[in-house]
Amino acid sequence: MGGDLRAALDEPGKERIKDLARNPLRLFLLCLTWEFGQQKLPDTKAELYEVFVAALYDFKKQAFPTTAAQRTNLNAALRKFARTAIEAGYKSILPDWFVSKHLEQPHPELFEKAIDLGWLNRVGVDAENPLKSVYAFYHSSFQEYFAACEIEDWHFFLNHVPQNPQQGIYRIFERQWKEVMLLWMGRKDVDREEKEAFIKALVEFEQGTEREFYGYRAYFLAAILIDEFKDCSLADAIVAQIVQWGFGYFNIEKQEWQTFSYPIAEASKAILPESDRTIAIAALTKLIRTSEAEDIRWQAAYSLEEIGKGNPDAIAALINLIHTSENEYIQLQAANSLWKIDEGNPEAIAYLTELIRTPENVDIRLQAAEYLGKIDKSNSDVIATLTELIRTCKNEDIRWKAADTLVRIDQKNLDAIAYLTEFSRTLENGDIRCLAVGSLGETGKEDPEKIATLIQLFGTPENEFILWQIAEHFGRIDKSNPDASVALTQLSFNSDKEFIQALAAGNLGRIGKGNPDMIATLTELIRTSGNLSIRWQAAHSLGKIDEGNPDAIATLTELIRTSGNLNIRRQAAHSLGKIDEGNPDAIAALTELIRTSGNKYILEQTVDSLVETSKGNPDAIAILTELICTSEKEDILSQAAHTFNKILTETQQMAGVVTALKNCLSHETYENDFDRYNNSYKVIWHCAQNLPYPTFYHAWHNPPTTPHPEVPDWQTFPQDIAREINNQAELSNQIQLLCIDSKNFINPDNPAAKIYTEMLKQGCPKSEDATKTMADLQTYWDLLLMDSEKSFILVFYNSRGEEATGFSEIFVNDLSKFDGHIAIVSENNPDSLTAFSPSQSDLIGAIVRWICQVVWES
C-alpha cells in the first residue's frame, strides 16, 4: 500500500492529504480506504466518507454479510434518521426513545443491521432511566455525512423571507449544520449549478442595518464552503473580499490605508484557515509583497503561520519579508513565522543567528535568542548570547530576561539556575529579585535542584517581600512542604508590614485546600486582625480552601456592608461572588459601586468583578447596558463592551441587549459619538454570532415590553411557543398546542368551564355534553385524545407574570389525574405535574424540548 500511495501523490496530492487529514479520524479513514483498493485520492470529504462506507461493508462482509439491496436500504434509513436527529437537536448522543421511534420501530431489521455493522453503537445508559440505552453513530462525522446525503437542495439550509424571517429557513446560521453543509457541498452527485446557486445566495444575503451582521456571517460561511467546492466560479473573489475585510485596502481617493471595524477584521482573519487554503495563501503572499504598510505585512505573515505550513509560496513570501522590511521587529516576527511553517528552514535560522550577534539592539538580540532557542535548544550561539547578556548587560531587567529565557529553553541548565539564584540574593532591584524567584518557581515543579535553591533562600529573610515571594512560589511547587506554609503563616501574623500580611494570607488560599491548620490560621486572622485588607484576604483564601465556610461568607458580607473603602468593598464582593455564586449581596454591592463610583480604577475593576461573579445575571446585564447607553467615558464604554462577551449567555438576554443598543448604531451616533457606536457594534456583533436570525430580526423590530430580557413576554407567550414549534416542521405536523391563561379564572378550584371555552377558541371541537366540572372536562379531554391523530399539548400559564399567585392545590390535584401531555408554568412545582418556573432561563426553549420528548416518546 505505502509504495502505491507515495507513487500516486504529486505535490497537489500531498497538499490534499494534509487538507483532508486535519481531522485524525479522516487520516485513519484515508489509510483504510487505500487498504481496500481505493487508488484515487478523494477530492472532498464527502467522497472520502462515501468510499469508507463501502469499505466498511466489505470489511465486515464475513461476519455480517449484506446484499446490495440491504446496503441501499440501510443507507437510506440512516440518512433520514441522521437528518431527523440533528433537526431535533440530537448530535453524538441519541436517547433510546428517539432511536426507537425513528429507526427501530419503522425498520427493525435495518436497525439490527446498523447495530451489527457498528453504524450505531450502544454507548451507555440514560442518566434518568438506567434501564434505557443511549446510542451514538460510529462517529459524529458519519451522522453528519448521512444527513448531508439526505438533503436534496440548498433551500433546506436557506430560504430567506426578508420581511418575515419567522416564515423562512436559516440553518446556515445554526452551528450544528456547518459540517453537514460542507459535506453536502462535497457530494459529487449534487449538480455544480446547485452549489453555485447556494454560494451566490450566501454572498448576496440581503443587507440592511440590522441584517449587516448576518450578511457577514453568510459571506464567511461561503468562504468556508468553497473549500469543498474547488471549482467555484466565485472562490477567488470571495477570498479576496475576506482578505480585504481582515487587513484593509488602500483607498486611492483618500491616499491612505483603510481598515474595517475590529469584529469584522478579526472574524475575517479567523475564517481564512477554514477557506480554500491555496487561494488564501496566494492572497496573503501577494499582500506581503505589495503592501506598503509594514504592520499589514506583518499581520499577513502571522496569518500564514496557521495555513502556510510547507507551502513554497508562503515560505518565499516570508523570506522576502525578512530581506525587504526595514523594521527589525517585523523581520524578527517574519523569521519566527518562517520556522513555524518550515521547521529547520536555513534562512530563518541564519537570520535569527545574525540578529543575536548584532549588539545594537539588546531587546532584538534577546527575542531572537528566545525564538532560536525554541528551534534548537542546544544551539551554541543561543546559549552564548544569553550567557553574555547575563554577565555583561548593565540593565538588570535584560539580565533577568536572559536568565529566564535560558532556564525556559533548558530547565535543567545549571548556569541558568545559578544566575537566578544569585539574582534572588544579590540584585539591588527588589522587583527583579522577585522576578528571579518567580522564574525558579514557575519552572521548578518536581525539580530537586530548584526546590533545594528555594529552600536555601528561606535562610535570607532580611527582605520580607522577597521571603513572601519565595514562599508563594515554593508553595506552588510543593504544596505539602511545611516550610512554605509555616513561612506564610508567620508572615500573616508577625510581619510589621500590613501589605505583606495580606499577601501572605492570600497565598495561604493557594496551598492549603482542606488543610485544617490553614483553615484555623485563616479563621483566626479574620477574627483578630484589625486591618480590613488582611481580613478580606483571609476570608477570600478561607472560602477557596473550605468551600461554603460560614466565617468567610459572614466576613465578606460584613465588609461589603460596612467598609468605607471602595476597593475593599469591591474586592469583598468579588470574593463573595466567587465562593458563593449568585450571592445577592455581592451582586447588589457590585452594581451599586458601578453606578456610584467616580474612581476610574474602581469602576473598571468592578465591571470585571461583576462578570466573573454574575454570569447571566439580569442585574449585571442591565447595568452594563446602561453603561454603554449613557457613560461619557471612553474607557468605561470599552470595558463594558468587552465584558458583555463574557457575561451574555442566554438567547433572550442577547435579544434584549440587541433591542436596547440598536439605536446606538444610528448615523448620528456614528458621526458624533463614535466610541458609543463602536462599542455598541461590538456587543451586537457578539449577539449576532449566537442568535438565530429570526430571533435577532424580531428583537430589532419588535422590542420586548418586559423590563428584563430574560422574562417572557406573557402577552405573546402562546405565539412565541408556537413559533419555535413551527421551526420544526415534523413536530408542528404532529401536535395541537393549547395554551390556557389562568388570569381570568373566576373559580380557581374549578375553572373547567373557562378552560373548555378557551379550548374551543383554539380550534377544539364542541362537546355535546355540559362541561362544568373538572370531571366533565376530563371526559371531554379523553375523547379528544381518542379521536385525534395529533398529540394534544396543554400548557397552563398566568399572564400576570410576577404578580401571579400560582394555581389552586385542588385544581392541580384534579389536573394531575388527566391523561396526556399537560404542563403548568408556576413557581410552585408540584410533583404530580410537569412544571416550569416562569423565571427559569430559556423557558420557551425548555417547554419546546419537553414537547419534543413527550411526543416522540409516545
Side-chain angles (χ1 to χ4, degrees):
M1 168 196 159
D4 293 338
L5 175 57
R6 284 191 294 272
L9 295 182
D10 53 10
E11 282 303 319
K14 292 176 183 176
E15 287 301 311
R16 188 62 187 151
I17 282 281
K18 294 174 185 175
D19 191 32
L20 286 170
R22 291 182 215 170
N23 182 324
L25 172 69
R26 292 185 191 125
L27 182 60
F28 163 71
L29 300 185
L30 188 63
C31 296
L32 188 58
T33 56
W34 247 282
E35 287 286 358
F36 284 90
Q38 174 68 19
Q39 294 298 310
K40 181 180 180 298
L41 186 67
D43 292 322
T44 67
K45 289 185 286 188
E47 292 177 25
L48 174 64
Y49 282 100
E50 180 186 4
V51 171
F52 182 72
V53 168
L56 185 135
Y57 283 119
D58 288 340
F59 181 68
K60 294 200 172 185
K61 64 184 178 182
Q62 296 298 325
F64 303 106
T66 51
T67 66
Q70 286 175 325
R71 294 182 182 188
T72 299
N73 293 336
L74 178 54
N75 288 345
L78 289 172
R79 289 198 296 265
K80 183 177 180 181
F81 173 67
R83 192 186 82 169
T84 302
I86 296 176
E87 284 184 284
Y90 293 110
K91 197 171 176 183
S92 299
I93 300 299
L94 307 162
D96 181 89
W97 66 267
F98 187 86
V99 174
S100 176
K101 178 177 177 61
H102 293 282
L103 187 61
E104 184 177 14
Q105 291 178 14
H107 308 291
E109 71 291 345
L110 296 179
F111 169 74
E112 290 300 326
K113 285 288 183 187
I115 294 295
D116 289 342
L117 291 164
W119 288 128
L120 278 183
N121 297 279
R122 294 181 176 90
V123 293
V125 296
D126 193 315
E128 297 182 359
N129 185 352
L131 298 178
K132 297 288 187 180
S133 299
V134 291
Y135 295 81
F137 272 84
Y138 177 78
H139 188 274
S140 61
S141 59
F142 283 97
Q143 181 181 354
E144 293 160 339
Y145 167 71
F146 281 121
C149 292
E150 180 67 8
I151 295 163
E152 295 183 4
D153 65 68
W154 65 269
H155 288 96
F156 175 84
F157 301 116
L158 173 63
N159 179 28
H160 188 25
V161 183
Q163 303 308 316
N164 191 2
Q166 299 295 348
Q167 301 300 317
I169 297 172
Y170 298 94
R171 292 188 176 96
I172 60 170
F173 300 127
E174 298 174 17
R175 289 182 176 86
Q176 69 267 31
W177 295 105
K178 176 183 173 183
E179 192 66 23
V180 177
M181 286 184 277
L182 279 164
L183 289 160
W184 181 87
M185 190 65 71
R187 282 171 49 190
K188 61 185 178 184
D189 60 334
V190 175
D191 291 340
R192 186 179 187 281
E193 293 75 15
E194 184 82 1
K195 298 176 184 179
E196 287 276 1
F198 187 25
I199 295 295
K200 190 171 186 292
L202 291 173
V203 299
E204 294 179 354
F205 188 81
E206 187 173 346
Q207 295 289 308
T209 304
E210 81 283 356
R211 298 189 187 107
E212 173 183 343
F213 302 96
Y214 289 82
Y216 282 112
R217 284 188 67 182
Y219 207 103
F220 292 155
L221 177 61
I224 294 170
L225 293 183
I226 60 173
D227 194 37
E228 292 296 310
F229 181 25
K230 296 297 184 182
D231 58 346
C232 176
S233 64
L234 299 174
D236 289 328
I238 288 171
V239 174
Q241 180 63 78
I242 296 294
V243 170
Q244 186 179 100
W245 284 336
F247 301 92
Y249 67 99
F250 185 76
N251 188 315
I252 297 176
E253 292 182 2
K254 296 183 177 181
Q255 286 294 296
E256 63 182 23
W257 195 264
Q258 298 283 136
T259 57
F260 293 83
S261 68
Y262 179 81
I264 297 170
E266 290 305 300
S268 299
K269 292 172 187 174
I271 285 297
L272 278 178
E274 298 185 67
S275 189
D276 186 306
R277 295 159 84 89
T278 302
I279 301 175
I281 289 170
L284 290 172
T285 54
K286 179 181 178 182
L287 192 62
I288 290 173
R289 290 192 176 99
T290 61
S291 175
E292 295 181 3
E294 289 278 20
D295 60 327
I296 295 300
R297 298 178 73 193
W298 172 80
Q299 290 177 41
Y302 183 78
S303 292
L304 278 177
E305 286 184 14
E306 189 168 356
I307 65 174
K309 195 170 182 65
N311 183 279
D313 292 331
I315 293 168
L318 291 173
I319 291 173
N320 175 264
L321 183 57
I322 290 172
H323 292 298
T324 60
S325 176
E326 296 179 0
N327 185 311
E328 281 187 330
Y329 286 97
I330 290 178
Q331 291 175 305
L332 180 66
Q333 291 299 331
N336 185 43
S337 297
L338 180 57
W339 78 260
K340 285 184 177 180
I341 70 169
D342 187 27
E343 191 171 343
N345 183 281
E347 294 270 2
I349 294 173
Y351 182 70
L352 290 171
T353 303
E354 179 185 344
L355 282 180
I356 65 176
R357 292 171 177 167
T358 305
E360 286 81 4
N361 190 322
V362 175
D363 284 329
I364 289 288
R365 293 183 68 197
L366 188 61
Q367 191 70 63
E370 181 179 348
Y371 287 157
L372 191 54
K374 291 177 181 178
I375 300 173
D376 181 7
K377 291 186 176 181
S378 61
N379 187 290
S380 57
D381 287 313
V382 171
I383 295 172
T385 297
L386 292 173
T387 303
E388 178 195 348
L389 288 173
I390 293 167
R391 289 174 176 168
T392 64
C393 186
K394 295 180 180 180
N395 185 311
E396 289 186 342
D397 189 48
I398 294 293
R399 293 177 66 199
W400 162 71
K401 285 182 181 178
D404 182 67
T405 301
L406 185 55
V407 80
R408 291 178 190 279
I409 290 173
D410 180 9
Q411 292 193 4
K412 295 187 180 300
N413 186 290
L414 296 180
D415 288 331
I417 296 172
Y419 294 139
L420 289 170
T421 303
E422 179 186 354
F423 295 165
S424 301
R425 289 174 174 157
T426 62
L427 286 183
E428 294 182 3
N429 187 318
D431 291 338
I432 300 297
R433 291 181 69 187
C434 287
L435 289 171
V437 172
S439 297
L440 287 170
E442 288 174 17
T443 62
K445 191 174 183 180
E446 298 178 359
D447 186 325
E449 291 285 345
K450 292 173 188 168
I451 290 176
T453 298
L454 289 171
I455 291 174
Q456 291 175 6
L457 288 173
F458 271 123
T460 58
E462 71 281 354
N463 185 320
E464 287 185 335
F465 190 66
I466 298 295
L467 181 58
W468 161 74
Q469 184 82 349
I470 295 167
E472 194 265 343
H473 285 287
F474 190 35
R476 290 184 186 181
I477 294 174
D478 186 5
K479 292 184 179 182
S480 63
N481 192 295
D483 289 326
S485 59
V486 168
L488 290 171
T489 300
Q490 290 177 347
L491 287 172
S492 299
F493 285 103
N494 301 327
S495 174
D496 58 359
K497 297 181 178 65
E498 290 182 338
F499 84 98
I500 292 291
Q501 288 182 279
L503 290 172
N507 284 126
L508 285 172
R510 297 184 182 181
I511 66 173
K513 192 171 182 65
N515 185 311
D517 293 330
M518 296 292 182
I519 293 171
T521 296
L522 291 168
T523 303
E524 185 177 353
L525 271 176
I526 287 173
R527 293 173 177 167
T528 60
S529 178
N531 182 283
L532 296 181
S533 183
I534 294 172
R535 294 186 69 205
W536 159 65
Q537 283 282 15
H540 176 76
S541 294
L542 183 57
K544 287 172 65 176
I545 69 174
D546 186 24
E547 293 180 9
N549 185 286
D551 288 317
I553 293 173
T555 299
L556 293 170
T557 303
E558 178 192 349
L559 289 172
I560 289 171
R561 292 174 175 168
T562 63
S563 176
N565 184 311
L566 293 181
N567 198 36
I568 291 293
R569 288 176 64 195
R570 180 198 66 78
Q571 291 171 329
H574 177 91
S575 298
L576 183 57
K578 294 286 281 185
I579 69 174
D580 187 19
E581 189 173 346
N583 185 288
D585 288 318
I587 294 169
L590 292 169
T591 302
E592 181 189 357
L593 277 171
I594 289 174
R595 285 199 170 101
T596 59
S597 176
N599 183 297
K600 172 185 170 182
Y601 169 78
I602 295 292
L603 191 55
E604 290 178 351
Q605 296 300 311
T606 306
V607 170
D608 275 345
S609 296
L610 188 62
V611 174
E612 291 187 34
T613 61
S614 315
K615 196 168 189 177
N617 181 275
D619 291 328
I621 292 169
I623 189 64
L624 290 171
T625 305
E626 180 184 330
L627 281 175
I628 291 182
C629 290
T630 62
S631 178
E632 298 299 326
K633 299 179 179 179
E634 179 184 347
D635 51 347
I636 298 304
L637 284 169
S638 178
Q639 184 80 4
H642 175 72
T643 298
F644 256 127
N645 294 352
K646 301 177 183 177
I647 199 171
L648 277 174
T649 57
E650 300 290 343
T651 295
Q652 288 182 320
Q653 292 173 344
M654 291 185 188
V657 169
V658 169
T659 300
L661 296 183
K662 71 184 184 69
N663 291 333
C664 295
L665 298 189
S666 67
H667 179 73
E668 181 182 358
T669 307
Y670 181 88
E671 293 293 331
N672 302 318
D673 195 354
F674 181 75
D675 288 331
R676 195 177 317 282
Y677 177 95
N678 188 42
N679 287 291
S680 298
Y681 190 96
K682 290 178 182 178
V683 174
I684 295 178
W685 177 277
H686 170 74
C687 295
Q689 306 313 301
N690 296 280
L691 284 175
Y693 177 64
T695 302
F696 185 95
Y697 183 92
H698 186 267
W700 191 280
H701 292 281
N702 301 282
T705 58
T706 51
H708 297 297
E710 79 284 356
V711 177
D713 184 342
W714 297 109
Q715 305 309 313
T716 61
F717 183 65
Q719 294 90 330
D720 292 340
I721 297 177
R723 183 179 64 250
E724 292 297 320
I725 291 173
N726 288 336
N727 287 336
Q728 304 184 49
E730 183 177 352
L731 178 63
S732 63
N733 293 330
Q734 294 186 47
I735 71 168
Q736 181 163 346
L737 174 67
L738 303 170
C739 292
I740 309 296
D741 187 353
S742 66
K743 74 172 183 178
N744 294 323
F745 285 180
I746 296 175
N747 184 350
D749 292 341
N750 181 27
K754 181 63 177 174
I755 293 172
Y756 170 66
T757 302
E758 291 298 319
M759 292 173 72
L760 294 183
K761 291 179 181 179
Q762 297 182 46
C764 293
K766 290 185 178 181
S767 172
E768 297 179 358
D769 301 319
T771 308
K772 296 181 178 179
T773 67
M774 291 298 290
D776 297 336
L777 184 67
Q778 184 181 31
T779 301
Y780 172 69
W781 176 252
D782 289 342
L783 291 173
L784 284 181
L785 299 183
M786 291 174 56
D787 294 341
S788 177
E789 294 182 358
K790 289 189 174 183
S791 296
F792 279 85
I793 305 293
L794 189 54
V795 178
F796 290 92
Y797 71 102
N798 192 312
S799 61
R800 289 194 179 95
E802 294 181 358
E803 299 176 6
T805 57
F807 294 90
S808 157
E809 290 186 14
I810 295 174
F811 168 66
V812 170
N813 185 56
D814 289 341
L815 196 62
S816 66
K817 297 180 174 61
F818 284 39
D819 291 330
H821 311 312
I822 301 173
I824 64 172
V825 179
S826 172
E827 289 291 3
N828 300 319
N829 297 337
D831 296 332
S832 55
L833 278 176
T834 298
F836 299 90
S837 168
S839 60
Q840 78 177 73
S841 299
D842 192 20
L843 171 62
I844 291 171
I847 291 174
V848 173
R849 287 191 291 273
W850 165 73
I851 292 173
C852 291
Q853 181 172 348
V854 297
V855 169
W856 285 329
E857 280 183 338
S858 60

